[in-house]
Short mmCIF file of all heavy atoms in Angstrom, two decimals:
data_model
loop_
_atom_site.label_atom_id
_atom_site.label_comp_id
_atom_site.label_asym_id
_atom_site.label_seq_id
_atom_site.Cartn_x
_atom_site.Cartn_y
_atom_site.Cartn_z
N ILE Z 1 107.74 96.45 97.52
CA ILE Z 1 108.07 95.84 96.23
C ILE Z 1 108.79 96.77 95.27
O ILE Z 1 109.23 96.34 94.21
CB ILE Z 1 106.80 95.27 95.55
CG1 ILE Z 1 105.80 96.37 95.25
CG2 ILE Z 1 106.19 94.17 96.39
CD1 ILE Z 1 104.66 95.94 94.36
N CYS Z 2 108.94 98.03 95.63
CA CYS Z 2 109.62 98.97 94.73
C CYS Z 2 111.13 98.76 94.80
O CYS Z 2 111.73 98.90 95.87
CB CYS Z 2 109.29 100.41 95.10
SG CYS Z 2 110.19 101.60 94.07
N PRO Z 3 111.77 98.45 93.67
CA PRO Z 3 113.21 98.19 93.69
C PRO Z 3 114.06 99.45 93.93
O PRO Z 3 115.25 99.33 94.23
CB PRO Z 3 113.48 97.62 92.30
CG PRO Z 3 112.39 98.16 91.44
CD PRO Z 3 111.19 98.29 92.34
N LEU Z 4 113.48 100.63 93.83
CA LEU Z 4 114.24 101.85 94.02
C LEU Z 4 114.31 102.29 95.48
O LEU Z 4 115.14 103.11 95.85
CB LEU Z 4 113.63 102.98 93.19
CG LEU Z 4 113.57 102.75 91.68
CD1 LEU Z 4 112.87 103.90 90.98
CD2 LEU Z 4 114.97 102.56 91.12
N VAL Z 5 113.44 101.73 96.32
CA VAL Z 5 113.39 102.13 97.72
C VAL Z 5 114.61 101.61 98.49
O VAL Z 5 115.22 102.34 99.27
CB VAL Z 5 112.07 101.68 98.39
CG1 VAL Z 5 112.10 101.91 99.88
CG2 VAL Z 5 110.89 102.42 97.76
N ALA Z 6 114.96 100.36 98.28
CA ALA Z 6 116.07 99.76 99.04
C ALA Z 6 117.39 100.53 98.87
O ALA Z 6 118.08 100.78 99.87
CB ALA Z 6 116.24 98.29 98.66
N PRO Z 7 117.80 100.92 97.66
CA PRO Z 7 119.06 101.67 97.54
C PRO Z 7 119.02 103.03 98.26
O PRO Z 7 120.03 103.45 98.82
CB PRO Z 7 119.24 101.86 96.03
CG PRO Z 7 118.42 100.80 95.40
CD PRO Z 7 117.27 100.55 96.33
N VAL Z 8 117.87 103.68 98.23
CA VAL Z 8 117.75 104.97 98.93
C VAL Z 8 117.91 104.76 100.43
O VAL Z 8 118.69 105.45 101.09
CB VAL Z 8 116.39 105.64 98.61
CG1 VAL Z 8 116.11 106.80 99.56
CG2 VAL Z 8 116.36 106.12 97.17
N ARG Z 9 117.21 103.77 100.96
CA ARG Z 9 117.30 103.50 102.40
C ARG Z 9 118.70 103.03 102.78
O ARG Z 9 119.22 103.40 103.84
CB ARG Z 9 116.25 102.46 102.80
CG ARG Z 9 114.83 103.02 102.67
CD ARG Z 9 113.80 102.05 103.17
NE ARG Z 9 113.87 101.97 104.63
CZ ARG Z 9 113.20 101.09 105.34
NH1 ARG Z 9 112.43 100.19 104.75
NH2 ARG Z 9 113.31 101.07 106.66
N SER Z 10 119.33 102.25 101.92
CA SER Z 10 120.69 101.78 102.19
C SER Z 10 121.67 102.94 102.28
O SER Z 10 122.52 102.98 103.17
CB SER Z 10 121.12 100.79 101.12
OG SER Z 10 122.42 100.35 101.35
N LEU Z 11 121.55 103.89 101.37
CA LEU Z 11 122.43 105.07 101.40
C LEU Z 11 122.22 105.85 102.69
O LEU Z 11 123.18 106.24 103.35
CB LEU Z 11 122.18 105.97 100.19
CG LEU Z 11 122.94 107.29 100.18
CD1 LEU Z 11 124.44 107.05 100.05
CD2 LEU Z 11 122.45 108.19 99.08
N LEU Z 12 120.97 106.07 103.06
CA LEU Z 12 120.68 106.81 104.29
C LEU Z 12 121.18 106.06 105.52
O LEU Z 12 121.76 106.66 106.43
CB LEU Z 12 119.18 107.08 104.40
CG LEU Z 12 118.58 108.00 103.33
CD1 LEU Z 12 117.06 108.03 103.45
CD2 LEU Z 12 119.15 109.39 103.39
N ASP Z 13 120.97 104.75 105.54
CA ASP Z 13 121.45 103.94 106.66
C ASP Z 13 122.97 103.97 106.76
O ASP Z 13 123.53 104.16 107.84
CB ASP Z 13 120.98 102.49 106.53
CG ASP Z 13 119.50 102.31 106.77
OD1 ASP Z 13 118.87 103.18 107.42
OD2 ASP Z 13 118.95 101.29 106.29
N THR Z 14 123.64 103.78 105.64
CA THR Z 14 125.10 103.75 105.62
C THR Z 14 125.68 105.08 106.07
O THR Z 14 126.66 105.11 106.81
CB THR Z 14 125.62 103.39 104.21
OG1 THR Z 14 125.09 102.12 103.86
CG2 THR Z 14 127.13 103.34 104.18
N ALA Z 15 125.07 106.16 105.65
CA ALA Z 15 125.54 107.50 106.03
C ALA Z 15 125.04 107.90 107.42
O ALA Z 15 125.37 108.99 107.89
CB ALA Z 15 125.10 108.52 105.00
N GLN Z 16 124.27 107.04 108.06
CA GLN Z 16 123.69 107.29 109.37
C GLN Z 16 122.89 108.58 109.40
O GLN Z 16 123.00 109.40 110.31
CB GLN Z 16 124.76 107.27 110.46
CG GLN Z 16 125.38 105.92 110.64
CD GLN Z 16 126.39 105.87 111.77
OE1 GLN Z 16 127.05 106.86 112.08
NE2 GLN Z 16 126.51 104.70 112.39
N ILE Z 17 122.07 108.75 108.37
CA ILE Z 17 121.20 109.91 108.27
C ILE Z 17 119.84 109.51 108.82
O ILE Z 17 119.24 108.54 108.35
CB ILE Z 17 121.08 110.39 106.80
CG1 ILE Z 17 122.45 110.87 106.32
CG2 ILE Z 17 120.03 111.49 106.68
CD1 ILE Z 17 122.51 111.19 104.84
N PRO Z 18 119.35 110.24 109.81
CA PRO Z 18 118.05 109.87 110.40
C PRO Z 18 116.91 110.10 109.41
O PRO Z 18 116.86 111.12 108.73
CB PRO Z 18 117.93 110.78 111.62
CG PRO Z 18 118.84 111.93 111.35
CD PRO Z 18 119.93 111.42 110.45
N TYR Z 19 116.03 109.12 109.35
CA TYR Z 19 114.86 109.25 108.49
C TYR Z 19 113.74 108.40 109.05
O TYR Z 19 113.95 107.50 109.86
CB TYR Z 19 115.18 108.84 107.05
CG TYR Z 19 115.44 107.37 106.85
CD1 TYR Z 19 114.41 106.51 106.44
CD2 TYR Z 19 116.70 106.82 107.05
CE1 TYR Z 19 114.66 105.15 106.25
CE2 TYR Z 19 116.95 105.48 106.86
CZ TYR Z 19 115.93 104.64 106.46
OH TYR Z 19 116.17 103.30 106.28
N THR Z 20 112.54 108.71 108.60
CA THR Z 20 111.36 107.93 108.94
C THR Z 20 110.88 107.28 107.65
O THR Z 20 110.73 107.96 106.63
CB THR Z 20 110.26 108.83 109.52
OG1 THR Z 20 110.75 109.44 110.71
CG2 THR Z 20 109.01 108.03 109.84
N TYR Z 21 110.66 105.97 107.71
CA TYR Z 21 110.16 105.25 106.53
C TYR Z 21 108.66 105.03 106.71
O TYR Z 21 108.21 104.56 107.75
CB TYR Z 21 110.87 103.91 106.37
CG TYR Z 21 110.28 103.08 105.24
CD1 TYR Z 21 110.46 103.45 103.92
CD2 TYR Z 21 109.53 101.95 105.51
CE1 TYR Z 21 109.93 102.70 102.89
CE2 TYR Z 21 108.99 101.19 104.48
CZ TYR Z 21 109.20 101.58 103.17
OH TYR Z 21 108.65 100.84 102.15
N ILE Z 22 107.91 105.35 105.67
CA ILE Z 22 106.47 105.13 105.67
C ILE Z 22 106.11 104.27 104.47
O ILE Z 22 106.33 104.66 103.32
CB ILE Z 22 105.69 106.46 105.64
CG1 ILE Z 22 106.02 107.27 106.91
CG2 ILE Z 22 104.19 106.21 105.51
CD1 ILE Z 22 105.42 108.65 106.95
N ASP Z 23 105.56 103.10 104.75
CA ASP Z 23 105.10 102.16 103.72
C ASP Z 23 103.69 102.59 103.31
O ASP Z 23 102.75 102.47 104.10
CB ASP Z 23 105.09 100.74 104.30
CG ASP Z 23 104.61 99.70 103.31
OD1 ASP Z 23 104.05 100.06 102.24
OD2 ASP Z 23 104.78 98.50 103.61
N ILE Z 24 103.56 103.09 102.10
CA ILE Z 24 102.26 103.63 101.68
C ILE Z 24 101.22 102.54 101.41
O ILE Z 24 100.04 102.86 101.23
CB ILE Z 24 102.38 104.58 100.46
CG1 ILE Z 24 102.85 103.84 99.22
CG2 ILE Z 24 103.28 105.76 100.80
CD1 ILE Z 24 102.71 104.66 97.94
N THR Z 25 101.64 101.27 101.42
CA THR Z 25 100.64 100.20 101.30
C THR Z 25 99.96 99.94 102.63
O THR Z 25 98.92 99.28 102.67
CB THR Z 25 101.27 98.89 100.77
OG1 THR Z 25 102.21 98.39 101.74
CG2 THR Z 25 101.95 99.10 99.43
N GLU Z 26 100.55 100.47 103.71
CA GLU Z 26 99.98 100.27 105.04
C GLU Z 26 99.54 101.57 105.71
O GLU Z 26 98.94 101.55 106.77
CB GLU Z 26 101.00 99.57 105.94
CG GLU Z 26 101.34 98.17 105.48
CD GLU Z 26 102.35 97.49 106.38
OE1 GLU Z 26 102.81 98.11 107.38
OE2 GLU Z 26 102.69 96.33 106.09
N ASP Z 27 99.88 102.69 105.12
CA ASP Z 27 99.60 103.99 105.74
C ASP Z 27 98.83 104.85 104.72
O ASP Z 27 99.43 105.40 103.80
CB ASP Z 27 100.91 104.66 106.15
CG ASP Z 27 100.71 105.94 106.92
OD1 ASP Z 27 99.95 106.82 106.46
OD2 ASP Z 27 101.34 106.07 107.98
N GLU Z 28 97.52 104.95 104.92
CA GLU Z 28 96.68 105.69 103.97
C GLU Z 28 97.01 107.17 103.93
O GLU Z 28 97.00 107.78 102.87
CB GLU Z 28 95.20 105.48 104.30
CG GLU Z 28 94.25 106.14 103.32
CD GLU Z 28 94.40 105.68 101.86
OE1 GLU Z 28 94.83 104.53 101.62
OE2 GLU Z 28 94.08 106.47 100.95
N ASP Z 29 97.33 107.77 105.08
CA ASP Z 29 97.71 109.19 105.08
C ASP Z 29 98.99 109.39 104.27
O ASP Z 29 99.11 110.36 103.51
CB ASP Z 29 97.92 109.69 106.51
CG ASP Z 29 96.62 109.80 107.29
OD1 ASP Z 29 95.55 109.90 106.65
OD2 ASP Z 29 96.68 109.80 108.54
N GLY Z 30 99.94 108.47 104.43
CA GLY Z 30 101.17 108.55 103.65
C GLY Z 30 100.90 108.40 102.17
O GLY Z 30 101.47 109.13 101.35
N ARG Z 31 100.04 107.46 101.82
CA ARG Z 31 99.67 107.24 100.41
C ARG Z 31 99.05 108.50 99.82
O ARG Z 31 99.39 108.92 98.71
CB ARG Z 31 98.69 106.07 100.31
CG ARG Z 31 98.28 105.73 98.91
CD ARG Z 31 97.30 104.53 98.93
NE ARG Z 31 96.59 104.44 97.70
CZ ARG Z 31 95.55 105.19 97.34
NH1 ARG Z 31 95.07 106.09 98.17
NH2 ARG Z 31 94.97 105.05 96.16
N GLN Z 32 98.13 109.12 100.57
CA GLN Z 32 97.49 110.34 100.09
C GLN Z 32 98.49 111.48 99.92
O GLN Z 32 98.40 112.26 98.97
CB GLN Z 32 96.36 110.76 101.06
CG GLN Z 32 95.17 109.84 101.04
CD GLN Z 32 94.52 109.74 99.66
OE1 GLN Z 32 94.38 110.73 98.93
NE2 GLN Z 32 94.12 108.53 99.29
N HIS Z 33 99.46 111.55 100.82
CA HIS Z 33 100.49 112.58 100.72
C HIS Z 33 101.33 112.37 99.45
O HIS Z 33 101.63 113.33 98.74
CB HIS Z 33 101.37 112.57 101.97
CG HIS Z 33 102.21 113.79 102.12
ND1 HIS Z 33 101.69 115.04 102.37
CD2 HIS Z 33 103.56 113.96 102.05
CE1 HIS Z 33 102.67 115.92 102.43
NE2 HIS Z 33 103.82 115.28 102.24
N VAL Z 34 101.69 111.12 99.16
CA VAL Z 34 102.46 110.81 97.95
C VAL Z 34 101.64 111.16 96.71
O VAL Z 34 102.16 111.74 95.75
CB VAL Z 34 102.91 109.34 97.94
CG1 VAL Z 34 103.43 108.93 96.57
CG2 VAL Z 34 103.97 109.10 99.00
N LEU Z 35 100.36 110.83 96.72
CA LEU Z 35 99.48 111.17 95.59
C LEU Z 35 99.44 112.68 95.36
O LEU Z 35 99.50 113.15 94.22
CB LEU Z 35 98.07 110.64 95.83
CG LEU Z 35 97.88 109.13 95.76
CD1 LEU Z 35 96.50 108.73 96.27
CD2 LEU Z 35 98.10 108.62 94.34
N GLN Z 36 99.35 113.43 96.44
CA GLN Z 36 99.29 114.89 96.34
C GLN Z 36 100.59 115.45 95.76
O GLN Z 36 100.57 116.32 94.89
CB GLN Z 36 99.02 115.48 97.72
CG GLN Z 36 98.95 116.99 97.74
CD GLN Z 36 98.78 117.53 99.14
OE1 GLN Z 36 98.97 116.82 100.13
NE2 GLN Z 36 98.43 118.80 99.23
N ILE Z 37 101.72 114.96 96.23
CA ILE Z 37 103.03 115.46 95.78
C ILE Z 37 103.28 115.11 94.32
O ILE Z 37 103.85 115.90 93.57
CB ILE Z 37 104.16 114.87 96.65
CG1 ILE Z 37 104.07 115.43 98.06
CG2 ILE Z 37 105.53 115.15 96.06
CD1 ILE Z 37 104.95 114.70 99.06
N ASN Z 38 102.83 113.91 93.91
CA ASN Z 38 103.18 113.39 92.58
C ASN Z 38 102.01 113.41 91.60
O ASN Z 38 101.87 112.51 90.77
CB ASN Z 38 103.74 111.97 92.73
CG ASN Z 38 105.02 111.96 93.52
OD1 ASN Z 38 105.94 112.70 93.23
ND2 ASN Z 38 105.08 111.14 94.56
N ASN Z 39 101.19 114.44 91.69
CA ASN Z 39 100.10 114.66 90.73
C ASN Z 39 99.21 113.44 90.54
O ASN Z 39 98.89 113.05 89.41
CB ASN Z 39 100.68 115.11 89.38
CG ASN Z 39 101.47 116.39 89.49
OD1 ASN Z 39 101.03 117.34 90.15
ND2 ASN Z 39 102.65 116.42 88.90
N GLY Z 40 98.83 112.80 91.65
CA GLY Z 40 97.92 111.67 91.59
C GLY Z 40 98.58 110.33 91.36
O GLY Z 40 97.89 109.32 91.22
N ASN Z 41 99.90 110.30 91.33
CA ASN Z 41 100.62 109.04 91.11
C ASN Z 41 101.22 108.53 92.42
O ASN Z 41 101.75 109.31 93.21
CB ASN Z 41 101.75 109.24 90.08
CG ASN Z 41 101.20 109.62 88.73
OD1 ASN Z 41 100.38 108.92 88.17
ND2 ASN Z 41 101.65 110.75 88.22
N GLU Z 42 101.20 107.22 92.60
CA GLU Z 42 101.81 106.58 93.77
C GLU Z 42 103.28 106.29 93.48
O GLU Z 42 103.75 105.17 93.58
CB GLU Z 42 101.08 105.29 94.13
CG GLU Z 42 99.72 105.49 94.69
CD GLU Z 42 99.08 104.18 95.14
OE1 GLU Z 42 99.75 103.14 95.19
OE2 GLU Z 42 97.88 104.22 95.43
N THR Z 43 104.02 107.31 93.12
CA THR Z 43 105.41 107.14 92.72
C THR Z 43 106.32 107.16 93.94
O THR Z 43 106.30 108.11 94.72
CB THR Z 43 105.81 108.26 91.74
OG1 THR Z 43 104.82 108.35 90.71
CG2 THR Z 43 107.15 107.97 91.11
N VAL Z 44 107.08 106.09 94.08
CA VAL Z 44 108.02 105.98 95.20
C VAL Z 44 109.37 105.49 94.68
O VAL Z 44 109.42 104.89 93.61
CB VAL Z 44 107.48 105.01 96.29
CG1 VAL Z 44 106.27 105.60 96.96
CG2 VAL Z 44 107.20 103.63 95.76
N PRO Z 45 110.44 105.76 95.39
CA PRO Z 45 110.46 106.47 96.65
C PRO Z 45 110.22 107.97 96.45
O PRO Z 45 110.69 108.56 95.49
CB PRO Z 45 111.87 106.22 97.17
CG PRO Z 45 112.70 105.97 95.96
CD PRO Z 45 111.77 105.31 94.97
N THR Z 46 109.48 108.52 97.39
CA THR Z 46 109.30 109.95 97.50
C THR Z 46 109.89 110.37 98.83
O THR Z 46 109.56 109.78 99.85
CB THR Z 46 107.81 110.33 97.41
OG1 THR Z 46 107.31 109.99 96.11
CG2 THR Z 46 107.60 111.82 97.64
#
């Protein structure tokens, strides 16, 4: 649901840059990693 994620992924896709996408609503380890990086905030895209 984050409107900022799609443009980031689109740029990476268009430039054919390899990346792994992790949906933090479905991946608890990913969510915890985002919280750690962003001082307790679920701020995405990270």
Side-chain angles (χ1 to χ4, degrees):
I1 62 169
C2 176
L4 301 176
V5 171
V8 167
R9 293 185 72 188
S10 179
L11 174 66
L12 295 172
D13 289 339
T14 301
Q16 294 183 330
I17 296 172
Y19 69 95
T20 299
Y21 174 71
I22 298 175
D23 179 348
I24 66 168
T25 65
E26 296 180 0
D27 186 309
E28 183 59 28
D29 290 338
R31 181 180 163 282
Q32 290 300 320
H33 195 67
V34 168
L35 290 170
Q36 179 184 14
I37 292 168
N38 297 308
N39 301 316
N41 296 304
E42 290 184 10
T43 311
V44 293
T46 295

